[in-house]
Amino acid sequence: MRNVLLVDDEPLIVQGMQSIIDWNANNMQIADTARNGVEALSKLEDSPVDLVITDIMMPQMSGLELIREVKARSPFTKFIILSGYEEFNYVREGITLGVENYLLKPVNIDELEATIKHMQHDWEREEIRQIQMDQSWRILRNNILQRWANETIDAKEFRERALLLEIPMTKSSYNAAALRIVAEPDHGVNDPQLYRPKIAEQCENIGNEQLPDGCEIICFPDQEGDIIVLFASSSLEGEEWQHKALHGMKQWIAADTGACVWGVIGQAEQTYLGFPLSCSKVKQWLQNHLFIGSETSIVTTGSDGEPVSFLEKREPAMEQFHKLLRDGESLEVNRFIDQFFDVQMDSHVARKPFFNSAIQLMLAAKDLEKTPDYGGVFGALSRIHTLSGLKQLVKRVIHQTLDTYHTIEKDYSPHVLAVLDLVKNHYKEELSLKTLSQKLDLHPNYLGQLFQQEAGTSFSDYVNQYRIERATHLLLYSDKRAGEVGAEVGYGDTSYFYRQFKKYAGVSPTELRLMYMKK
């Protein structure tokens, strides 16, 4: 909202100017009034304004003198002169001072509004120039684009920001694409997450090198680290130019980061209002698929062409796998995992059946542990984008378990065995070393030290890990709500249950269920 100061020694003129037009509709407000130049200067010292509308002939200080003084202090303030004197000398001097217009009394409404609209365009251009000189312009634009893609920005605010930030809104075709940068674990590739904005900036430069007439490209990183590409076109150019631009960006990122890069293009929408939908479909496609191999062609959503029936039926032979785990056959376990994940497909597969099966395999191994730690399972799953990465995770988790399970088991003292048994049978109840030590006729401190020494973890951690293990099974294999699950395993406070689950499992209960997508 722009602030306006009215300066005139005639009260009726001041009152009339306040109501002559709808100032709010023009994104302006009358901040204050003054009867002469001296009073105006005094008020401007405390509250600078964007526009001064002033009479010329006033006592103590004329309008022209006021303009000279204000311009010396605030060079960006704009001025409109009012006068009942149609004298060329005033007009000429006003023009010399750089006023926006010279309006005769009584003021013509249309001329005043036209002058204001002209000033608003000037202000917008000045703002753009000032912002563009600062790197914050790109940060601001990325923020607005992210909110637009996620549909978390009000339509009016977006239109205002889009005009300021030169985001196209009048094209006839809009669609989104995404470039996913995948640095697999243990491949010696530095994760380029920290400089994604720079990558997006360079991608935009590459995409704009050979654009067809009427087409625009804007690139920005989203909150998940993907580079989102906005394609906007005012003509029916087809998809060839988009594929060509995306391919150039993809090649540059791969060369610059050493990582694998995959590109997905969404369906076109007819107005800028459809861009969030196109973006959502691209992100959903990425969420639902795993990539195969180190190099793929650019995928267009809606054209998977994958044998769904085969993928939906792909489940591991769990009885065979359980036997291999119990026998400790590491080579056979590896062979089993390799055969299961050996898929003869092009570029990508559906994520759901492979994630479900991977979770089954890892939980089967975790069931062998006395105090399963799920942090390395579910937290790592959220960062998996490829079938090979998923296979590596499954092997790592399972072999970590086998390494400890098939060593010589510890001989627990009778007191610690009693504690373990009490936790197993009463984990839903309130448990503490104080109450357990009374049952065992031991000092709480001694029992705590003994348990830590033999179990390798504190009593409270053991109880929480056991409860989270039971909660994990309920979340995956029942339809109970998360709050009900928490209460069933001993957490009366739902928010506390969420915090503990996140701490020990690495993901929230909701995120866990999203990973394990039920059939």
Side-chain angles (χ1 to χ4, degrees):
M1 188 74 72
R2 300 285 178 178
N3 290 321
V4 182
L5 174 66
L6 298 177
V7 188
D8 201 302
D9 60 337
E10 297 181 50
L12 290 178
I13 296 294
V14 173
Q15 293 175 12
M17 288 298 297
Q18 290 179 356
S19 59
I20 191 172
I21 64 171
D22 187 347
W23 293 97
N24 284 331
N26 287 280
N27 198 34
M28 304 178 84
Q29 62 182 2
I30 305 300
D32 209 344
T33 63
R35 292 168 295 180
N36 55 60
V38 174
E39 184 180 343
L41 279 178
S42 175
K43 292 187 174 183
L44 288 172
E45 285 180 359
D46 299 325
S47 302
V49 297
D50 302 289
L51 171 64
V52 174
I53 301 178
T54 179
D55 189 14
I56 285 186
M57 303 303 294
M58 295 181 296
Q60 298 186 47
M61 179 183 287
S62 72
L64 296 178
E65 292 172 326
L66 170 64
I67 292 171
R68 291 192 197 94
E69 288 288 336
V70 175
K71 276 193 169 291
R73 306 177 188 184
S74 179
F76 296 107
T77 302
K78 296 185 180 297
F79 299 88
I80 295 176
I81 291 177
L82 301 178
S83 179
Y85 299 87
E86 193 173 1
E87 296 182 2
F88 180 75
N89 286 338
Y90 291 127
V91 177
R92 182 174 61 184
E93 189 168 357
I95 292 173
T96 302
L97 291 172
V99 300
E100 297 303 312
N101 205 348
Y102 183 102
L103 303 179
L104 293 176
K105 301 177 183 178
V107 175
N108 182 293
I109 296 176
D110 292 338
E111 187 176 4
L112 175 60
E113 288 189 328
T115 302
I116 288 173
K117 284 185 171 55
H118 176 76
M119 286 190 300
Q120 287 173 336
H121 289 310
D122 287 344
W123 277 322
E124 289 176 358
R125 285 193 293 269
E126 288 170 3
E127 286 178 344
I128 290 172
R129 282 195 296 269
Q130 291 172 7
I131 294 173
Q132 286 178 333
M133 291 174 64
D134 194 327
Q135 185 60 31
S136 63
W137 176 85
R138 188 168 290 275
I139 296 173
L140 174 60
R141 192 186 69 164
N142 286 349
N143 177 263
I144 297 300
L145 288 166
Q146 287 175 6
R147 292 171 63 195
W148 180 29
N150 295 331
E151 297 186 280
T152 57
I153 186 171
D154 176 77
K156 181 181 178 182
E157 181 187 355
F158 173 72
R159 287 194 298 270
E160 292 174 351
R161 298 289 189 176
L163 288 171
L164 176 65
L165 298 168
E166 300 176 343
I167 299 171
M169 293 191 298
T170 59
K171 303 294 185 180
S172 57
S173 175
Y174 292 80
N175 61 312
L179 291 164
R180 174 155 287 182
I181 306 169
V182 181
E184 291 284 23
D186 307 323
H187 279 196
V189 176
N190 293 325
D191 182 11
Q193 182 72 36
L194 294 176
Y195 58 99
R196 294 290 164 94
K198 289 292 184 183
I199 292 176
E201 185 176 347
Q202 183 59 28
C203 284
E204 188 170 317
N205 293 336
I206 292 170
N208 283 309
E209 286 177 355
Q210 294 181 328
L211 275 182
D213 292 339
C215 298
E216 290 189 45
I217 289 177
I218 295 179
C219 301
F220 61 97
D222 70 3
Q223 294 176 337
E224 295 175 327
D226 293 327
I227 305 300
I228 303 300
V229 183
L230 163 65
F231 292 113
S233 174
S234 57
S235 58
L236 300 176
E237 289 289 340
E239 296 181 353
E240 184 178 350
W241 70 279
Q242 298 174 4
H243 280 263
K244 183 178 179 181
L246 205 64
H247 183 70
M249 300 175 198
K250 187 167 168 286
Q251 283 189 317
W252 176 81
I253 296 175
D256 186 66
T257 65
C260 298
V261 185
W262 291 289
V264 180
I265 295 181
Q267 299 297 307
E269 303 291 334
Q270 294 183 347
T271 72
Y272 77 93
L273 296 173
F275 175 73
L277 176 61
S278 181
C279 193
S280 173
K281 288 181 177 178
V282 167
K283 295 294 290 185
Q284 188 63 47
W285 194 96
L286 288 168
Q287 173 65 28
N288 291 339
H289 292 82
L290 292 169
F291 289 100
I292 302 174
S294 60
E295 185 62 32
T296 68
S297 58
I298 293 170
V299 178
T300 300
T301 58
S303 59
D304 295 346
E306 58 193 18
V308 176
S309 59
F310 165 76
L311 292 173
E312 290 295 340
K313 294 179 181 179
R314 190 168 182 81
E315 294 182 356
M318 292 306 297
E319 288 187 12
Q320 177 189 355
F321 186 66
H322 279 294
K323 184 177 186 305
L324 293 176
L325 290 176
R326 289 193 299 270
D327 294 342
E329 298 288 346
S330 296
L331 292 178
E332 291 301 317
V333 167
N334 271 346
R335 186 176 292 111
F336 181 96
I337 296 171
D338 286 335
Q339 288 176 351
F340 179 78
F341 286 101
D342 182 19
V343 178
Q344 301 300 316
M345 298 280 290
D346 292 332
S347 75
H348 60 272
V349 295
R351 180 186 299 257
K352 171 177 143 180
F354 286 96
F355 256 51
N356 286 352
S357 298
I359 289 174
Q360 282 183 289
L361 295 172
M362 289 186 288
L363 288 183
K366 286 293 178 182
D367 283 342
L368 299 176
E369 298 179 0
K370 289 185 173 62
T371 57
D373 179 5
Y374 296 106
V377 176
F378 302 114
L381 273 175
S382 63
R383 299 185 293 273
I384 296 295
H385 305 297
T386 66
L387 194 61
S388 62
L390 185 61
K391 182 172 73 172
Q392 289 175 28
L393 175 64
V394 170
K395 283 186 174 182
R396 183 168 66 249
V397 168
I398 290 172
H399 283 293
Q400 285 173 349
T401 297
L402 291 178
D403 288 344
T404 57
Y405 176 71
H406 290 289
T407 57
I408 299 174
E409 296 213 350
K410 298 177 181 178
D411 292 327
Y412 292 108
S413 65
H415 291 127
V416 172
L417 282 173
V419 172
L420 295 175
D421 187 62
L422 284 167
V423 172
K424 180 179 179 181
N425 294 299
H426 301 279
Y427 65 90
K428 299 178 183 181
E429 304 168 13
E430 184 71 29
L431 294 173
S432 70
L433 278 176
K434 183 177 181 181
T435 56
L436 294 182
S437 63
Q438 290 174 349
K439 292 181 179 180
L440 299 174
D441 196 24
L442 292 173
H443 192 282
N445 290 344
Y446 172 74
L447 182 60
Q449 292 172 0
L450 185 64
F451 189 90
Q452 174 82 44
Q453 181 180 348
E454 294 188 17
T457 185
S458 69
F459 173 75
S460 60
D461 274 344
Y462 181 86
V463 172
N464 278 314
Q465 287 174 352
Y466 193 89
R467 286 172 171 169
I468 297 307
E469 176 193 358
R470 305 315 308 158
T472 298
H473 282 269
L474 288 172
L475 287 166
L476 294 180
Y477 303 118
S478 78
D479 293 324
K480 294 181 179 181
R481 292 183 298 180
E484 295 173 330
V485 170
E488 188 163 328
V489 300
Y491 295 104
D493 185 336
T494 301
S495 61
Y496 180 68
F497 167 60
Y498 267 76
R499 290 197 299 273
Q500 293 299 101
F501 196 94
K502 180 81 172 181
K503 175 182 176 181
Y504 288 96
V507 295
S508 70
T510 303
E511 290 169 334
L512 172 65
R513 275 183 160 161
L514 287 174
M515 288 179 184
Y516 190 80
M517 295 165 279
K518 296 179 181 178
K519 299 175 179 59

